[in-house]
């Protein structure tokens, strides 16, 4: 069975500091991995995705993530946090090769302090 | 841009009522999904559909049913609402293939916050 673990339900950083949100996964099939962002009172928006091409993936709003197979990780980073980055972030892995469903982590709420 | 719309942003219903949540997508996507989102639990899959009139149970289907009579519309039905179904409900859609490859990228609606009293 596929699963996703996001370490830290809340992360707080100062504006301009590095953002690091952690995601570890387990998957019995070659993983396709995703990061989504949810702003208050909105649905989820895709930040970036890994689908077996380049291991370093760049997304929107300056975010990127690196797929590390040996560590079964897909951590999300941004060099310099902005106040507008405050949101909840979800990591997801494809459930299997047939169902087209995703398994989501429990989410990490990012706070950005001025 | 893909647009997924949900019929209500906020809904308040009484215990025992039958509740319909509607979702419409405008990108001709084959796959549609219903999730519920609860604090600390992330998103949990209730049901999904990969074609008209086709449906499959997700991880937490108990107390819910779905209907997909048209490709663009996917309805979630709470047959007899209970207080433990108070939650945020998110609809999503995805294409079967993108650029010839299998696609898993999902597009989400804004969500319906349902309160059952």
């Amino acid at each position: 069975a596929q699963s996703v673990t996001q370490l830290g339900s809340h992360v707080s950083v100062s504006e301009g500091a590095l953002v690091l949100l952690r995601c570890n996964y387990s998957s019995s099939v070659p993983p396709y991995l995703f990061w989504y962002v949810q702003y208050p009172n909105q649905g989820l928006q895709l930040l970036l995705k890994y689908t077996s091409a380049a291991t370093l993936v760049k997304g929107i709003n300056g975010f990127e993530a690196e797929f590390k197979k040996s560590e079964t990780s897909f951590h999300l980073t941004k060099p310099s946090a902005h106040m507008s980055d405050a949101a909840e972030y979800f990591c997801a892995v494809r459930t299997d090769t047939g169902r087209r469903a995703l398994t989501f982590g429990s989410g990490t709420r990012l706070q950005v302090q001025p | 841009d893909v647009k997924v719309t949900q019929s209500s942003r906020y809904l308040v219903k009484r215990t025992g009522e039958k509740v319909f949540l509607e979702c419409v997508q405008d990108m001709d996507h084959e796959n549609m999904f219903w999730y519920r989102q609860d604090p600390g639990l992330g998103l949990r899959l209730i049901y999904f559909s990969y074609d008209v009139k086709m449906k499959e149970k997700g991880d937490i289907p108990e107390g819910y049913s779905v209907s997909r009579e048209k490709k663009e519309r996917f309805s979630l039905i709470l047959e007899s609402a209970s207080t433990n179904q108070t939650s945020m409900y998110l609809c999503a859609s995805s294409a079967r293939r993108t650029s010839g490859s299998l696609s898993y990228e999902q597009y989400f609606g804004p969500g319906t916050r349902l309160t059952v009293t």
Side-chain angles (χ1 to χ4, degrees):
Chain A
Q2 279 57 247
S3 69
V4 176
T5 301
Q6 292 184 239
L7 294 174
S9 58
H10 289 81
V11 170
S12 182
V13 301
S14 299
E15 193 172 18
L18 171 72
V19 175
L20 171 61
L21 304 182
R22 299 178 186 274
C23 173
N24 288 88
Y25 70 91
S26 67
S27 179
S28 58
V29 298
Y32 285 12
L33 294 154
F34 305 81
W35 274 102
Y36 283 85
V37 60
Q38 184 180 35
Y39 299 104
N41 298 315
Q42 294 187 26
L44 276 67
Q45 178 184 0
L46 182 68
L47 269 180
L48 50 79
K49 62 182 178 183
Y50 166 78
T51 57
S52 76
T55 56
L56 183 62
V57 181
K58 294 188 184 299
I60 61 172
N61 302 338
F63 284 93
E64 63 181 37
E66 186 172 9
F67 171 68
K68 292 187 176 181
K69 185 177 180 180
S70 61
E71 299 177 9
T72 61
S73 69
F74 190 57
H75 301 330
L76 182 71
T77 60
K78 182 174 180 178
S80 177
H82 193 272
M83 296 295 290
S84 61
D85 295 327
E88 190 156 21
Y89 293 80
F90 292 92
C91 183
V93 63
R94 68 167 171 172
T95 303
D96 55 38
T97 57
R99 290 174 70 186
R100 310 289 188 271
L102 298 177
T103 298
F104 285 83
S106 56
T108 297
R109 186 168 297 279
L110 175 66
Q111 290 182 313
V112 182
Q113 307 291 343
Chain B
D1 279 353
V2 175
K3 193 166 185 183
V4 180
T5 57
Q6 297 184 228
S7 51
S8 305
R9 294 299 304 274
Y10 299 93
L11 208 53
V12 180
K13 295 292 181 181
R14 294 200 179 275
T15 301
E17 279 193 82
K18 190 168 186 176
V19 182
F20 293 87
L21 303 183
E22 304 285 338
C23 174
V24 177
Q25 50 94 4
D26 67 356
M27 281 302 293
D28 202 36
H29 282 172
E30 292 82 4
N31 308 313
M32 296 188 75
F33 308 84
W34 275 107
Y35 295 90
R36 65 176 281 176
Q37 180 182 10
D38 300 289
L41 297 178
L43 278 71
R44 293 179 291 167
L45 182 65
I46 305 172
Y47 266 98
F48 70 101
S49 168
Y50 50 88
D51 205 345
V52 175
K53 297 191 184 295
M54 306 301 287
K55 61 185 179 184
E56 281 199 32
K57 294 180 180 179
D59 300 320
I60 52 165
E62 297 78 18
Y64 303 95
S65 63
V66 291
S67 172
R68 192 164 181 204
E69 297 296 319
K70 293 185 178 182
K71 190 175 185 179
E72 69 272 17
R73 189 179 297 270
F74 192 34
S75 302
L76 180 69
I77 303 155
L78 287 66
E79 296 290 342
S80 177
S82 64
T83 55
N84 63 13
Q85 293 179 309
T86 292
S87 186
M88 170 72 90
Y89 289 87
L90 292 167
C91 175
S93 71
S94 70
R96 184 169 296 151
R97 286 183 176 272
T98 302
S99 302
S101 300
L102 293 175
S103 174
Y104 292 83
E105 182 175 330
Q106 295 184 12
Y107 297 85
F108 284 82
T112 296
R113 187 166 294 281
L114 172 67
T115 301
V116 182
T117 62

